[in-house]
Amino acid sequence: MAEFTMELSDEQKEVRDWIHGFAADVMRPAAAEWDEREETPWPVIQEAAKIGLYSLDFYAQQFFDPTGLGIPMAMEELFWGDAGIGLSIVGTGLAAVGVLANGTEEQIGTWIPQMYGDAADVKVAAFCSSEPDAGSDVSAMRTRAVYDEAKDEWVLNGTKTWATNGGIANVHVVVAVVDPDLGPKGHASFIVPPKTPGLSQGQKFKKHGIRASHTAEVVLEDVRIPGHCLLGGKEKLDERLARARERARNPGGERLKNAAMATFEASRPAVGAQAVGIARAAYEVALDYAKDRVQFGRPIIDNQGVAFQLADMRTQIDAARLLVWRASWMATAGKPFTSAEGSMSKLFAGETAKKVTAQAMQILGGNGYTREYPVERMHRDSSIYTIFEGTSEIQRLVIARTVAGVPIR
Ligand SMILES: Cc1cc2nc3c(=O)[nH]c(=O)nc-3n(C[C@H](O)[C@H](O)[C@H](O)COP(=O)(O)OP(=O)(O)OC[C@H]3O[C@@H](n4cnc5c(N)ncnc54)[C@H](O)[C@@H]3O)c2cc1C
């Protein structure tokens, strides 16, 4: 039996330090500028592509780390560097995972390279699921995909919102309703290839945080895409729909495992790891400041009121990381998430990041409230971690229903 250890291997430490170097030397110095510009930091993404940090290969290598810690480690370091730029670098991965999870080998080989482009001409991709009336409640989705058999084309109509990289992406992955009677089981995912007529960017949002990451509406008006752009293919979709219709007719029958929920449980720790990175960054700034700043003739860290805050911050960050690592290890080891451990990690890490960055601002006093210091940006950035990829309330709902043994929906 393998010996239990929480020590990273030399190889893992090497990768972590390499990412940390990029985060410290390239991302940190650029963070304030791109936050103010509220634009996608293309030059930084290009730098990441040049060294192989912005590529499917890199994420695939981390994904296949047998301990499960490759992805959370990479996420923590990148988001320690800066969350807005970090999301610009990893946002494409959300769309790529959509293709990896549902696409055929041919679709994976065709579309994922076009999502990343190459170092000379970097591209990004977008994953478009949320809609104005369908956020937490995915079953309220209205974007329709209708099959035109004569032309072997799908026709998409609807409005997506909150899409990271929406409208500026080379490739959009769009989730749409193919059978409105089946709720979420009647949804399917489609590739919208580059420059497809009918897809346009709607409003670009001016946000509170992660401002270097582009977030926009995506409008789909009679968007015609070839039949082969349905992820997984028509045959598989028809089989899946037939099974769902059968279950709808026979609700007492055997419940199939909810594959989408299992995927969320496995992907949520990666988002939690991003929040851990932001929290750690703010904590480090606050610790240094508390040691340097003198009031009443002594460093402010000599006051128990400040020191205890730092102790709590550090404890919560470490606890969040441990929950993230546990869930990531479980996903890699194929352990069932019997207590929604993936949701637990995202919930705790997101809430911790928001709390710790607020405490960091308090420890920096007036300076913490200014843009001269990075903690106010980190606090703004952290706030999204209780909202996207499932709000904190939805995580609690999933955990509560899982531990109670009742269906999640
Ligand atoms: C910056 C940013 C980037 C994003 N990127 C993407 C992306 O790339 N692709 C994509 O598809 N989506 C993306 N999203 C969308 C994001 O996932 C949604 O905003 C999120 O799921 C919440 O949906 P909503 O905003 O409609 O809030 P709502 O669902 O309207 O929720 C509003 C409030 O009600 C609460 N609530 C809702 N239902 C319940 C319930 N049953 N019990 C208790 N409380 C409840 C929520 O927790 C929340 O506090 C992004 C969002 C943002 C802000």
Side-chain angles (χ1 to χ4, degrees), residues 127 129-130 135-136 162 164 207 384 387-389 391 393 397:
F127 178 74
S129 172
S130 303
S136 302
W162 306 124
T164 300
K207 304 195 298 296
I384 193 61
I387 298 173
F388 72 2
E389 297 283 325
T391 65
E393 291 73 27
L397 189 144

Side-chain angles (χ1 to χ4, degrees), residues 87 91 94 126-137 160-165 207 209-210 213-215 384 386-394 397 401:
L87 198 61
L94 194 61
F127 178 74
C128 312
S129 172
S130 303
E131 296 183 3
D133 292 325
S136 302
D137 181 9
K160 293 293 177 182
T161 193
W162 306 124
T164 300
N165 297 334
K207 304 195 298 296
I210 53 162
S213 169
H214 171 105
T215 317
I384 193 61
T386 61
I387 298 173
F388 72 2
E389 297 283 325
T391 65
S392 285
E393 291 73 27
I394 294 300
L397 189 144
R401 289 188 181 166

Side-chain angles (χ1 to χ4, degrees), residues 58-75:
F58 171 72
Y59 293 104
Q61 269 169 27
Q62 299 319 309
F63 185 79
F64 288 113
D65 177 334
T67 65
L69 301 188
I71 292 286
M73 218 176 53
M75 293 294 175

